[in-house]
Amino acid sequence: MSLQDLNNIPGVTAEPDSATQNFVFNHTMLRVKNIEKSLDFYTRVLGFSLVEKRDFPEAEFSLYFLALVDKAQIPADDAARTLWMKSIPGILELTHNHGSETDDSVVYHNGNTDPRGFGHICISVPDIRAACERFETLGVDFQKRLNDGRMKSLAFVKDPDGYWVEIIQPQPM
Amino acid sequence: MSLQDLNNIPGVTAEPDSATQNFVFNHTMLRVKNIEKSLDFYTRVLGFSLVEKRDFPEAEFSLYFLALVDKAQIPADDAARTLWMKSIPGILELTHNHGSETDDSVVYHNGNTDPRGFGHICISVPDIRAACERFETLGVDFQKRLNDGRMKSLAFVKDPDGYWVEIIQPQPM
């Protein structure tokens, strides 16, 4: 569909208000039960870097901010890193409510059964076949393998809480 | 917290596997009840551009991909635009199940009441006071105004389905 056609779809404001200039879609927040398992998954399996942690001891939770960037891009200075990570798109925020990892009553909802809402996050990779083979080797859980279903050009893996992570590659396969 | 301390937190892989090089956190998907209202909110209020639409008439749903970028960055050529929007971070995918807008049984869940999971998306803005004043003028629903609660440096607005959209500014206020 052409850009012109997209701009004519009902609801679309084709020329954004100049007041929104330099707005950035900075992050997406997910609650996680076991932060150690989640940090392992997002850093070791998917390649994110942990770039900030904020603790709220009175309210008994901590926030972990992760970026999927070349390590060389991450400012070493703490204040500069905070400014940077609030300025770029593609940050993942994980919320850990202290003690949830040992509380059997805490099971987070991935949004894909009733009540539905949030669906998934998505990682774009240069070579989806190589990426999926590596995920198999690492023992990652799949929601949909490349060859499952009709859409052979995408896969879904699951993070430790069962959130769906879509895997795509930009170039047609 | 220093980068070194962050890298020593249990679960963190400090040096990502080279196999994850050029992985990109591309998008977050949310289901929306009334696509026209959601497109209006995300394009007019927040400044996103609609950069791709994919229809699945047999399965009765459509996908809308939005980017919060300078219009000049959007490739005019359709194939180039698809490649581009799958390659960058910060894309928002909205899923519209056809007919949901007139189906009273469809109410999407924002993840912040039981069963909890997904929490919010976040938009970073250059001037949070100006942004929030504009949202007030536009009649946007607030979950938390700047002056509500303890955290005076952030706000939460609600999209047409009630999903929370955090508003932050990188620079300290």
Side-chain angles (χ1 to χ4, degrees), chain B residues 1-17:
Chain B
M1 187 175 287
S2 74
L3 258 185
Q4 189 176 329
D5 288 341
L6 291 167
N7 283 334
N8 286 328
I9 289 175
V12 171
T13 293
E15 282 302 325
D17 188 335

Side-chain angles (χ1 to χ4, degrees), chain B residues 121-149:
Chain B
I121 60 173
C122 174
I123 307 297
S124 169
V125 305
D127 181 338
I128 194 169
R129 286 195 186 87
C132 287
E133 283 173 19
R134 176 172 166 271
F135 295 147
E136 295 279 7
T137 303
L138 295 176
V140 173
D141 282 340
F142 277 78
Q143 174 65 30
K144 177 208 169 303
R145 289 182 165 81
L146 273 179
N147 283 328
D148 295 338

Side-chain angles (χ1 to χ4, degrees), chain B residues 75-144:
Chain B
D77 175 75
D78 294 357
R81 195 170 61 253
T82 296
L83 196 64
W84 165 82
M85 79 95 183
K86 290 181 174 181
S87 305
I88 61 171
I91 296 288
L92 178 66
E93 177 184 4
L94 301 179
T95 294
H96 176 229
N97 290 300
H98 300 165
S100 60
E101 62 278 13
T102 54
D103 182 345
D104 290 344
S105 73
V106 177
V107 178
Y108 289 122
H109 177 63
N110 74 9
N112 294 306
T113 54
D114 289 333
R116 295 186 303 164
F118 165 77
H120 60 261
I121 60 173
C122 174
I123 307 297
S124 169
V125 305
D127 181 338
I128 194 169
R129 286 195 186 87
C132 287
E133 283 173 19
R134 176 172 166 271
F135 295 147
E136 295 279 7
T137 303
L138 295 176
V140 173
D141 282 340
F142 277 78
Q143 174 65 30
K144 177 208 169 303

Side-chain angles (χ1 to χ4, degrees), chain B residues 28-87:
Chain B
T28 295
M29 187 278 264
L30 302 175
R31 296 174 179 85
V32 301
K33 180 179 176 72
N34 183 314
I35 189 63
E36 185 170 343
K37 286 186 184 177
S38 296
L39 289 172
D40 174 64
F41 177 79
Y42 285 103
T43 63
R44 181 175 56 86
V45 178
L46 294 184
F48 280 83
S49 295
L50 181 63
V51 296
E52 184 146 322
K53 175 176 186 260
R54 297 188 61 197
D55 296 310
F56 299 83
E58 287 182 21
E60 300 184 79
F61 71 93
S62 296
L63 307 179
Y64 296 76
F65 295 89
L66 298 109
L68 190 43
V69 296
D70 190 312
K71 283 276 182 191
Q73 293 177 31
I74 305 173
D77 175 75
D78 294 357
R81 195 170 61 253
T82 296
L83 196 64
W84 165 82
M85 79 95 183
K86 290 181 174 181
S87 305

Side-chain angles (χ1 to χ4, degrees), chain A residues 48-64:
Chain A
F48 280 84
S49 295
L50 181 62
V51 296
E52 185 147 321
K53 174 175 187 260
R54 296 188 61 197
D55 296 311
F56 299 83
E58 286 181 23
E60 299 185 80
F61 71 94
S62 297
L63 307 178
Y64 296 76

Side-chain angles (χ1 to χ4, degrees), chain A:
Chain A
M1 188 176 286
S2 73
L3 259 184
Q4 188 175 331
D5 288 341
L6 290 167
N7 283 334
N8 286 328
I9 289 175
V12 172
T13 294
E15 282 302 325
D17 188 335
S18 61
T20 65
Q21 201 169 16
N22 298 320
F23 279 23
V24 172
F25 176 13
N26 173 247
H27 72 246
T28 295
M29 187 279 264
L30 302 175
R31 295 174 180 85
V32 302
K33 179 180 177 72
N34 185 314
I35 189 63
E36 186 170 343
K37 286 186 183 175
S38 295
L39 289 172
D40 175 64
F41 177 79
Y42 285 103
T43 63
R44 182 176 56 87
V45 177
L46 294 184
F48 280 84
S49 295
L50 181 62
V51 296
E52 185 147 321
K53 174 175 187 260
R54 296 188 61 197
D55 296 311
F56 299 83
E58 286 181 23
E60 299 185 80
F61 71 94
S62 297
L63 307 178
Y64 296 76
F65 295 89
L66 298 110
L68 191 42
V69 295
D70 190 313
K71 282 275 183 191
Q73 293 177 32
I74 305 173
D77 176 75
D78 294 358
R81 195 170 63 254
T82 296
L83 197 64
W84 165 82
M85 79 95 183
K86 290 182 175 181
S87 306
I88 62 171
I91 296 288
L92 178 65
E93 176 186 4
L94 301 179
T95 294
H96 175 230
N97 290 300
H98 300 165
S100 60
E101 62 278 13
T102 55
D103 182 345
D104 290 345
S105 73
V106 177
V107 179
Y108 289 123
H109 178 63
N110 75 10
N112 293 305
T113 54
D114 289 333
R116 295 186 304 165
F118 165 77
H120 60 261
I121 58 173
C122 174
I123 308 297
S124 169
V125 305
D127 182 336
I128 194 169
R129 286 195 185 86
C132 287
E133 283 172 19
R134 177 172 165 272
F135 295 146
E136 295 280 7
T137 303
L138 296 176
V140 173
D141 281 342
F142 278 78
Q143 173 66 29
K144 177 208 171 300
R145 289 182 164 79
L146 272 179
N147 283 327
D148 294 338
R150 284 189 182 183
M151 296 181 181
K152 307 297 187 191
S153 63
L154 56 87
F156 280 91
V157 296
K158 291 193 282 189
D159 93 342
D161 285 275
Y163 293 114
W164 292 6
V165 181
E166 185 180 8
I167 309 295
I168 61 169
Q169 79 175 30
Q171 294 281 0
M173 289 176 71

